[in-house]
Each structure stands twice: as C-alpha cells, then as structure tokens.
C-alpha cells in the first residue's frame, strides 16, 4: 500500500487538481522497485536484487548518479550510451527550455516544420557526402526497421544479411537481424530472408552476396555485444563486395555514432561510404527518444517515388520538434565541448591505464577499445583449485566470473559497469564522453584492486558469490509504502 494507505499509483498524481512532478519525486521516493514489481517488470526487479543493483536513484549529473543515501556512483553505462554528454547536460537543457517557451506549431502532420529540416541538414553536414536524405525516427530499433524497408523497396530484393553477435534492437524486423539467439528464442517466426554471416568472414559474405538477391548487409562498426572490433581490412572489403553485388551497405551507428569511438561516426575510422547510416541513442543528449536514418537521395527516391507513396513510411512522432530541438542542441554541444576529440583522447588514456592488466593477471585475456567503447575479457586460470572453482561455477552459469568483477566495482567502488552480453566473460564500459582523467584513473585502480583480490582467492570468491546470489535472490521484494 502507498503512504496514507492508498494503493501505489493512485496517490497524489490522480487526486490532486494541480500536479507537481517534483512533489511526486520527493513524496514517493523509495517506491520504485515496488511499483516496478507491481506494474512493470518484476523479473527485472529480481535480477536487480540478485546482482545487488537495487538502489534508489535520486539524481544524475554529468558522469555521476546519486542514490538515496547520498552516495555518488560513476556511471560507465551512460544509460546504454544515451548520455554521451553526461546526464542533464545544461547546454541542451537551456535550449529545451527555450524551445518549450517558443510554443511551436509542432506536428501539423499535413504540413512540415522547421526544426526537423534543420536537424536533417545538420546531420548530413557531418556525414559522408554521398548521404543526402534523412528519415527521422524515434529509436534505434525504428531506424533499423526503416533501413530494412528502404533497402528492400529500393533494391527490389528480399534478403538482409547480418552478423553473429550483431545487435540492432528488439522489434520484429530488428530481431530478425539479431545475431544473439537468447533474444530471438520463442518470438518466431521472424522475417523471412534474413541470414546470418560470421563476423569477419569475407568469404561467407561473398558467397551470400553472389546469389544476387541481397538487399542489404547490416553491420555495427564495433559490435556492442562483446565490443568486437573488426580487423582493419574487413569493413572496407565488405563495402567493396556489397557495391559489386548491388547490395546496400547499412552501417548501424546507433551505439558507435556521435563521437563515441573518437570520430563523429565510427565509419570514419575506415573511410566507409555506406548507403545508409543509422543513428539514435546519444542524439538527443538523453532527454527524449530520437533516431535517424541517413541515406542517399537515390535510395530515398526509389521508395518515395510518387505522390501516392509520399507517406509510405514514417511515424506520428518522427519529425517532432522537441526531439529535433534536443538533437540540434546535442550536435552543437558535441562541437562546442570538443567531445569527439575528448572521446578519442580519453579512450587512449583508458587503454593506457588498463592494458597492463593483461600482463598483471592471468585471468585477464584482453583489454580492447575504440574511443570510449571499452571492454575487458576474462579467461580461466591455468590450473589448481582456482581452475576447478572456475569450471564448477562456469559450467553452471557461463559468464558468471564477469559478475564477480562488476559486483564489487558497484558495491565497493561505486562504479556502474555491465557484462557485455549473454554468457560472456566480458565487461563493457561506455563512459560519458565528458569523463575526466581522475575518474578514468579511479576506474583502472578499482579494477586492479578487484582483480588482485580475485586472483588471490578465486575459489573462495566464487563460493561466497554463489551464496550471496542465493541469499539476495531469496530476498523478498520490498512492499510499496
Ligand atoms: C547498434 C544498435 N542498434 C540498435 C539498437 C536498438 O536501439 P533501441 O534500444 O533504441 O531500440 C541498439 C541498442 O542497444 C544498438 O546498440
């Protein structure tokens, strides 16, 4: 029950004549997990309790989050990459306040507005010159859906190729090109004509393209699941193969775009000239949903080729002024704060600080990154009791070791990181691009301390972790107050 004996959710918001969001945040602080369990996703609530991430978050600013105890956490997830500018960026917020005060004639629907056009202009000015048309969307997965439709309609071909471990979102079309079985399971049948090719395997790609029926090859420049960075020749050669086969190259920059990898678009690392580029996540500074597909006029006009077909693809909110204003302000802030260069330099520094861990600890197999997309990969110890403990735990739950690292990073060092994918002993960091050197150093030192302790007593740590998980997963959900 809520305070005053009311059912949660039927509280102040419904009964007050004038709503005050700030008062809700204050009066109902601490109810978020209970409300989640009642009305949203209780299984996710269980996960948070089990891994010990069940905090009451009360504030976010820059690279930090604060909980209700006043503890500050360094956020190396950035909301899965949306807070590249840090949380609650004041420059974007100031522009949003100006935008709201302007009371624009938003979404006339049978009419067009200025800000969507300005955003398209600004995006194209920063993209490879052959891209000269934009479709605005509301999310990453929607950008992927649009790309599949544009590619099929403009080539007249049915098939779409994607890579193993590729991740492009979770709506039906995007799921059909998702290279991770754990997401696809039980949602079939998915779209026909979508086929996976192995990451890095040009021969497999060549064989599929040779059938002459492939509309698009969809690829993340750096794969988000696992932070897999391709060999230098892979993407340029894949592009050549696609061109020769009349297949469109679609580069999904939803996670890698907007400075994340130390270039405005990651495709610049390889000088790629794709037919479509997909954006979302960081594009609104984290304030509102937004997405974009950048493509060529030729592709666009093969789809929207008559007045009859003028609205053959789109969505109600696609060109909304609020998202456009946030995105224009975000692009300006990326420039003004020099965030692309900052990401490049900070990424190099992070590698410099963390690569020595590979030599220092036998449990560390690899440290890799491009700009501020970073990962550390673990491997089993070479023998003895430590290896037996590893095998025992990993046989039961593959990827469990990575949680032995993310757990103490969070609970002891107050650093938020994530395991990079299902059943993977890889930890990933997507720091805000505004992260400062002292926080990079703090992260590297925390990792070092956690790994040193684990390497000294792996068997004990695994046993304690197993017990802790069992205890926390049995913990009763907190009742709503
Ligand atoms: C590369 C990539 N594409 C698409 C998506 C889907 O974006 P959204 O979650 O906004 O639908 C993601 C999300 O993580 C992503 O990383």
């Amino acid at each position: 029950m809520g305070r005053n004996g009311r059912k949660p959710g039927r509280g102040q918001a419904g009964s007050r004549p004038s709503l005050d969001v700030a008062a809700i945040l204050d009066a109902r602080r601490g109810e978020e997990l209970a409300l989640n369990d009642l009305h949203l996703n209780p299984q996710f609530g269980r996960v948070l309790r089990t891994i010990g991430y069940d905090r009451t978050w009360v504030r976010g600013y820059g690279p930090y989050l604060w909980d209700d105890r006043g503890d500050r956490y360094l956020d190396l997830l950035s909301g899965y990459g949306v807070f590249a500018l840090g949380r609650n960026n004041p420059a974007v917020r100031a522009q949003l306040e100006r935008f709201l005060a302007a009371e624009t004639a938003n979404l006339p629907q049978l009419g067009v507005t200025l800000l969507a056009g300005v955003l398209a202009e600004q995006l194209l000015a920063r993209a490879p010159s052959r891209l000269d048309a934009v479709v605005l969307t509301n999310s990453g997965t929607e950008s992927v859906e649009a790309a599949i439709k544009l590619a099929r309609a403009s080539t007249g071909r049915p098939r779409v190729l994607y890579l193993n471990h590729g991740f492009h979102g979770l709506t039906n079309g995007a799921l059909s090109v998702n290279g991770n079985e754990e997401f696809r399971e039980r949602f079939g049948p998915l779209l026909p004509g979508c086929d996976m090719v192995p990451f890095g395997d040009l021969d497999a790609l060549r064989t599929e393209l040779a059938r002459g029926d492939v509309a698009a090859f969809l690829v993340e420049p750096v794969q988000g699941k696992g932070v897999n960075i391709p060999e230098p020749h892979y993407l340029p050669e894949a592009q050549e193969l696609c061109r020769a086969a009349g297949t469109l190259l679609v580069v999904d920059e939803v996670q890698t775009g907007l400075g994340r990898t130390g270039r405005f678009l990651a495709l610049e690392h390889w000088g790629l000239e794709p037919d479509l580029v997909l954006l979302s996540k960081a594009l609104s500074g984290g304030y509102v949903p937004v997405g974009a597909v950048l493509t060529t006029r030729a592709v666009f006009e093969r789809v929207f080729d008559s007045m009859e077909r003028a609205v053959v693809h789109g969505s109600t909110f696609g060109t909304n002024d609020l998202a456009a204003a946030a995105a224009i302000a975000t692009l300006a802030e990326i420039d003004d704060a020099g965030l692309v260069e900052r990401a490049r330099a900070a990424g190099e520094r992070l590698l410099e600080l963390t690569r020595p861990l590979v030599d220092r600890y036998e449990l560390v197999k690899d440290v890799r990154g491009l700009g501020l997309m970073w990962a550390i990969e673990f491997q089993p110890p070479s023998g003895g009791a430590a290896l037996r403990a590893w095998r025992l735990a990993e046989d039961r739950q593959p990827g469990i070791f990575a949680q032995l690292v993310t757990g103490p990073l969070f609970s002891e060092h107050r650093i938020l990181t994530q395991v990079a994918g299902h059943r993977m002993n890889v930890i990933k960091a997507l720091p805000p691009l505004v992260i400062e050197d002292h926080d990079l150093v703090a992260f590297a030192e925390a990792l070092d301390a956690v790994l040193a302790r684990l390497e000294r007593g792996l068997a004990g740590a695994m046993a304690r972790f197993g017990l802790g998980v069992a205890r926390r997963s049995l913990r009763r959900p907190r009742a709503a107050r």
Side-chain angles (χ1 to χ4, degrees), residues 111-246:
V112 293
T113 54
L114 184 63
L115 293 178
V118 172
L119 171 59
E121 180 185 74
Q122 299 261 324
L123 287 170
L124 293 173
R126 291 164 169 81
S129 57
R130 68 194 302 265
L131 302 176
D132 51 6
V134 176
V135 177
L136 293 174
T137 71
N138 303 290
S139 65
T141 202
E142 242 190 69
S143 294
V144 173
E145 299 291 336
I148 293 171
K149 286 179 69 181
L150 293 180
R152 281 178 160 176
S154 68
T155 60
R157 297 175 174 188
R159 293 175 70 218
V160 179
L161 302 179
Y162 62 95
L163 296 175
N164 56 327
H165 295 307
F167 186 92
H168 304 283
L170 297 177
T171 50
N172 254 332
L175 194 57
S176 308
V177 291
N178 188 315
N180 306 277
E181 193 45 39
E182 67 277 12
F183 288 108
R184 303 164 63 100
E185 233 172 49
R186 294 204 263 158
F187 291 111
L190 297 172
L191 281 189
C194 298
D195 292 305
M196 190 164 78
V197 286
F199 178 81
D201 186 340
L202 287 165
D203 287 337
L205 179 63
R206 191 178 291 112
T207 305
E208 293 296 335
L209 292 175
R211 287 169 52 179
D213 59 356
V214 180
F217 173 48
L218 176 59
V219 63
E220 298 154 89
V222 178
Q223 287 192 323
K225 298 279 170 227
V227 187
N228 301 315
I229 304 171
E231 294 290 327
H233 66 103
Y234 177 64
L235 292 172
E237 286 185 32
Q239 173 172 288
E240 255 177 56
L241 293 176
C242 287
R243 284 275 195 285

Side-chain angles (χ1 to χ4, degrees), residues 292-316:
V293 178
L294 316 186
T295 186
T296 63
R297 191 48 59 194
V299 165
F300 193 93
E301 283 180 355
R302 272 184 237 127
V303 183
F304 298 85
D305 58 358
S306 64
M307 282 205 281
E308 280 278 272
R309 291 177 57 84
V311 290
V312 77
H313 184 77
S315 72
T316 304

Side-chain angles (χ1 to χ4, degrees), residues 80-85 254-255 257-258 260 279-286 290 326-327 330-331 334 433:
Y80 292 147
V82 305
F83 296 110
L85 273 49
V254 166
Q255 190 162 138
L258 308 165
R260 166 67 48 201
L279 297 171
S280 183
K281 287 205 192 275
L283 185 54
S284 76
V290 66
T330 296
L331 293 174
I334 289 173
L433 311 188

